[in-house]
């Protein structure tokens, strides 16, 4: 075996989810690979969740360089490193797993022989839903409200289609400083498609010390209730309160 082939056979890449924030919500599988890693790659706040130790190099990068970050991880694995790419929540939900496969597709064919594995994590909408009750107990969908990687028109089309079809919905990246008006528009569309009585929950920083969860009707909802640390869950027309909980029945007519 050549030196390069030998290095390739020792290296690996695991793309892992760190869950919504609470250390207890990191899976045992992910905790185990973090112990074996030589290199951690990811967006700054996620890499900061990993405890430094001897023999471990932490590579922090900015938010918008996912493809570079993914290629960097693959290059290091090809050199024999044991690389963990970290995302918050689940790595397959609006996160690094797709970016890594995009980089793999665009990269040298030799990378296809690398040992690559995706490890799931608890995504924000499921952590939030569990705190709220069971708002996603019937059919639902997840929509990323950021228009960084797709046109806003497409987001409006999907909101109308999902609301009109009676899906409960989870919204990631609902509102940022760079696009303050779009979430107001999203609320307007939802009121039209779902009706003002439909319940909407704003779950911020779930499972952390700053956690805040508020449920109101769509008629009462205001854009300021969401920020980039919030996942928003809209119920369907049957979603209702019981005691302090919100749930969606498992059946529909
Ligand atoms: N891969 C992540 C999502 C990344 S997109 C996951 O599976 O959860 C980033 C968005 O996720 C944020 O804008 C917010 O909408 C949501 N999010 C991530 N962590 C959260 C948390 N602890 N509480 C509420 N929302 C969260």
């Amino acid at each position: 075996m050549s030196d390069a082939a030998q290095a390739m056979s020792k290296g690996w890449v695991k793309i892992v989810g760190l869950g919504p924030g609470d250390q207890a919500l990191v899976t045992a599988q992910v905790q185990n690979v973090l112990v074996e890693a030589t290199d951690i790659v990811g967006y700054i706040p996620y890499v900061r969740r990993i405890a430094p130790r001897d023999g471990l190099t932490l590579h922090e990068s900015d938010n918008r360089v996912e493809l570079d970050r993914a290629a960097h991880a693959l290059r290091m694995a090809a050199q024999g490193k044991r690389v963990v790419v970290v995302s918050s929540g689940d790595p397959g939900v609006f996160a690094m797993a797709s970016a890594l496969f995009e980089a793999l597709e665009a990269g040298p064919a030799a990378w296809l022989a690398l040992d690559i594995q995706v490890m799931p994590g608890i995504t924000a909408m499921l952590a939030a839903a569990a705190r709220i009750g069971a708002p996603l107990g019937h059919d639902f969908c997840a929509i990323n409200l950021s228009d960084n990687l797709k046109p806003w028109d497409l987001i409006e089309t999907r909101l109308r289609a999902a609301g009109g079809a009676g899906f409960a919905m989870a919204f990631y990246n609902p509102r940022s400083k760079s696009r303050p008006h779009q979430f107001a528009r999203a609320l307007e569309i939802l009121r039209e498609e779902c009706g003002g009585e439909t319940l909407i929950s704003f779950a911020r920083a779930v499972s952390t010390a700053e956690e805040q969860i508020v449920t109101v009707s769509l008629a009462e909802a205001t854009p300021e209730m969401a920020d980039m640390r919030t996942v928003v869950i809209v119920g369907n027309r049957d979603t209702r309160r019981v005691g302090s909980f919100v749930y969606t029945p498992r059946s529909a007519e």
Side-chain angles (χ1 to χ4, degrees):
M1 220 196 282
S2 71
D3 286 356
Q6 226 165 10
M8 288 264 303
S9 68
K10 276 199 299 179
W12 48 246
V13 183
K14 315 274 179 192
I15 309 114
V16 312
L18 297 176
D22 184 347
Q23 193 59 25
L25 297 182
V26 181
T27 68
Q29 188 185 40
V30 167
Q31 290 184 28
N32 289 339
V33 295
L34 289 172
V35 173
E36 291 170 25
T38 57
D39 295 82
I40 307 281
V41 174
Y43 176 39
I44 303 157
Y46 308 149
V47 173
R48 298 232 164 121
R49 284 173 56 185
I50 310 298
R53 62 170 161 78
D54 285 349
L56 181 68
T57 310
L58 302 175
H59 306 265
E60 297 179 348
S61 53
D62 201 353
N63 201 8
R64 300 218 174 186
V65 296
E66 276 112 344
L67 270 187
D68 296 349
R69 190 191 293 155
H72 181 211
L74 287 160
R75 258 193 319 273
M76 287 194 293
Q79 292 160 2
K81 303 273 179 65
R82 298 186 296 277
V83 185
V84 175
V85 179
V86 292
S87 287
S88 74
D90 180 273
V93 179
F94 312 128
M96 281 306 294
S98 292
L100 192 116
F101 291 119
E102 264 181 66
L104 182 66
E105 204 172 28
W111 284 357
L112 294 170
L114 279 169
D115 176 3
I116 298 172
Q117 197 185 350
V118 182
M119 295 186 166
I122 298 176
T123 187
M125 72 176 173
L126 298 184
R131 300 287 289 138
I132 292 163
L136 304 177
H138 191 64
D139 298 342
F140 68 92
C141 65
I143 302 178
N144 185 344
L145 292 189
S146 163
D147 65 350
N148 280 345
L149 298 169
K150 62 187 168 191
W152 176 256
D153 276 359
L154 181 61
I155 298 176
E156 288 203 6
T157 303
R158 289 186 178 161
L159 279 175
R160 282 200 189 284
F167 283 103
M169 288 166 265
F171 301 130
Y172 287 76
N173 296 308
R175 185 162 173 264
S176 79
K177 288 193 189 97
S178 62
R179 44 188 178 84
H181 307 300
Q182 290 176 345
F183 187 60
R185 177 76 192 123
L187 287 176
E188 260 173 47
I189 293 171
L190 291 168
R191 280 191 278 267
E192 282 169 37
E193 295 295 335
C194 310
E197 301 296 296
T198 299
L199 294 178
I200 178 170
S201 301
F202 296 87
R204 182 171 193 278
V206 174
S207 88
T208 75
E210 292 97 56
E211 178 178 289
Q212 256 185 326
I213 298 180
V214 178
T215 299
V216 297
S217 68
L218 273 175
E220 295 161 329
T222 62
E224 298 71 36
M225 291 175 173
D227 66 9
M228 282 308 270
R229 293 190 72 192
T230 308
V231 64
V232 178
I233 297 185
V234 177
N236 66 24
R237 284 178 189 266
D238 296 323
T239 302
R240 47 186 175 256
R241 295 179 190 267
V242 55
S244 61
F245 297 104
V246 172
Y247 88 104
T248 303
R250 289 174 299 157
S251 56
E253 275 148 36

